[in-house]
Amino acid sequence: MHPAFTVLFMLLFVLLCILGLLANGFIVLVLSREWVRRGRLLPSDLILFSLGLSRFCLQWVGMGNNFYYFLHLVDYCSGPARQFFGLPWDFLNSVTAWFGSWLSVLFCMKVANFTHPGFLWLKWRFPRSVPWLLLGSLLTSFIVTLLFFGGNHALYKESFTRKPFGNMTYQWNRILEMYYFLPLKLITFSIPGSVFLVSIALLIDSLRRHAWRMQHSAHSLQDPSGQAHTRALKSLVSFLVLYTLSFMSLIIDGEGFCSSESDWYWPWQILTYSCTSIHPFILILGNLRLRGAFGQLILLARGFVVE
């Protein structure tokens, strides 16, 4: 790839990260003010706050990790830099996936209409369990981080013990990537991803049942319940698309197809961080409190420009 295109994609990656930092920082700031003012947050706001904070931190760690890897490839692979960046990066990636899945479950519980006793019990119980679910996600992510750290530490030790044998070190790295890191990534992201997919499936089934009832009662699908179903489904489907892109890029990145020497390194990083940068804007527009605060910010910015 021509160097000019490499610089272009690098700048696009930086721009994407800055937009993500601003959007996630805005969510954290607005909900922090609400938390201080009221002394508590609603379950939905608590999940949004946790998700925004984890994504905000992930953007910073990701930018530092990618640029260090791109500029100092040899030192990154053989030195302690991989462990230094890997600890927060693995933890934040895992916890962000879990927080996103709990947000989808909350959408499903608030909107879906089922009369099954099990679903009604979950609908009643879930909001009260949100703080414990978030703490459980932190604990699970901590354990996953330790597993990733063990693999990274094995690579770091191997780079010293077999330093004269470059080809053997490379083969050892590939073995760990294929038979340790890749399965660990699949498990780490597939479990919250499965929870997310179940939530979407339940919401789609609820919308189908609601449409059937409306057709047989001669009512319009534009009633409040139908509109709530549609809004929640649009938000979750957009999240699903972005989450799938990030998930696939992380898995393929684990295969080593897009190293820093590849022409597609920066385009691939743009795909990886698209979810954490674009989805916050969807959440802002879909949340009444966040949308109102964002509108006030836009009016304030216009006032400064006019003056």
Side-chain angles (χ1 to χ4, degrees):
M1 185 182 291
H2 195 276
F5 286 104
T6 301
V7 173
L8 175 63
F9 283 118
M10 190 187 300
L11 291 175
L12 287 175
F13 170 76
V14 172
L15 177 62
L16 186 72
C17 286
I18 291 174
L19 289 175
L21 287 169
L22 291 174
N24 288 303
F26 175 79
I27 292 174
V28 171
L29 184 63
V30 171
L31 295 180
S32 296
R33 187 180 63 178
E34 186 72 15
W35 200 344
V36 171
R37 188 166 66 89
R38 297 198 175 194
R40 60 186 291 273
L41 284 177
L42 296 172
S44 57
D45 290 340
L46 185 59
I47 296 177
L48 277 174
F49 174 82
S50 303
L51 182 61
L53 183 61
S54 65
R55 283 175 169 175
F56 182 83
C57 298
L58 181 61
Q59 298 275 181
W60 280 114
V61 174
M63 287 179 67
N65 178 73
N66 285 331
F67 277 104
Y68 193 93
Y69 177 69
F70 183 76
L71 297 173
H72 308 283
L73 176 60
V74 176
D75 182 52
Y76 182 91
C77 295
S78 60
R82 180 166 183 156
Q83 297 181 76
F84 176 78
F85 287 110
L87 272 173
W89 195 82
D90 293 327
F91 176 78
L92 291 169
N93 255 317
S94 176
V95 82
T96 298
W98 276 110
F99 290 164
S101 68
W102 296 136
L103 184 63
S104 68
V105 172
L106 187 67
F107 278 164
C108 178
M109 294 295 169
K110 287 177 67 175
V111 177
N113 292 319
F114 293 105
T115 56
H116 191 279
F119 182 83
L120 293 176
W121 181 84
L122 281 174
K123 193 168 187 174
W124 170 78
R125 186 65 185 168
F126 184 79
R128 295 167 175 78
S129 305
V130 164
W132 294 107
L133 290 172
L134 296 178
L135 286 174
S137 301
L138 291 173
L139 179 61
T140 302
S141 300
F142 177 73
I143 295 172
V144 167
T145 303
L146 291 180
L147 294 175
F148 275 111
F149 177 77
N152 287 327
H153 187 64
L155 286 176
Y156 179 61
K157 286 178 61 178
E158 198 67 19
S159 67
F160 279 99
T161 56
R162 298 188 182 182
K163 202 164 187 178
F165 311 102
N167 191 44
M168 291 178 65
T169 302
Y170 174 77
Q171 291 177 357
W172 172 248
N173 290 354
R174 291 299 300 163
I175 290 172
L176 274 180
E177 285 287 354
M178 289 294 297
Y179 298 105
Y180 183 79
F181 286 114
L182 185 58
L184 188 55
K185 284 182 180 180
L186 285 171
I187 295 171
T188 300
F189 295 108
S190 294
I191 296 176
S194 299
V195 174
F196 180 68
L197 289 175
V198 169
S199 301
I200 291 183
L202 287 174
L203 197 58
I204 291 173
D205 187 50
S206 177
L207 179 60
R208 181 186 61 81
R209 291 167 180 259
H210 179 75
W212 185 86
R213 285 195 298 268
M214 290 299 101
Q215 287 175 359
H216 285 74
S217 61
H219 285 88
S220 172
L221 280 174
Q222 297 305 315
D223 68 304
S225 180
Q227 290 177 357
H229 274 83
T230 304
R231 284 195 301 269
L233 196 57
K234 285 180 179 178
S235 178
L236 289 180
V237 168
S238 62
F239 187 20
L240 175 63
V241 173
L242 293 170
Y243 183 85
T244 303
L245 286 174
S246 296
F247 175 77
M248 294 304 298
S249 59
L250 281 170
I251 297 302
I252 295 175
D253 185 55
E255 290 281 344
F257 292 143
C258 286
S259 67
S260 65
E261 299 171 342
S262 170
D263 292 339
W264 296 100
Y265 176 74
W266 289 111
W268 209 252
Q269 296 309 310
I270 291 173
L271 277 180
T272 302
Y273 289 90
S274 58
C275 184
T276 56
S277 298
I278 298 173
H279 189 244
F281 289 98
I282 299 173
L283 294 176
I284 290 172
L285 295 176
N287 183 280
L288 186 60
R289 181 182 294 110
L290 293 175
R291 187 169 67 245
F294 188 71
Q296 292 177 1
L297 185 64
I298 295 297
L299 290 175
L300 186 63
R302 285 180 179 175
F304 277 116
V305 171
V306 172
E307 293 177 3

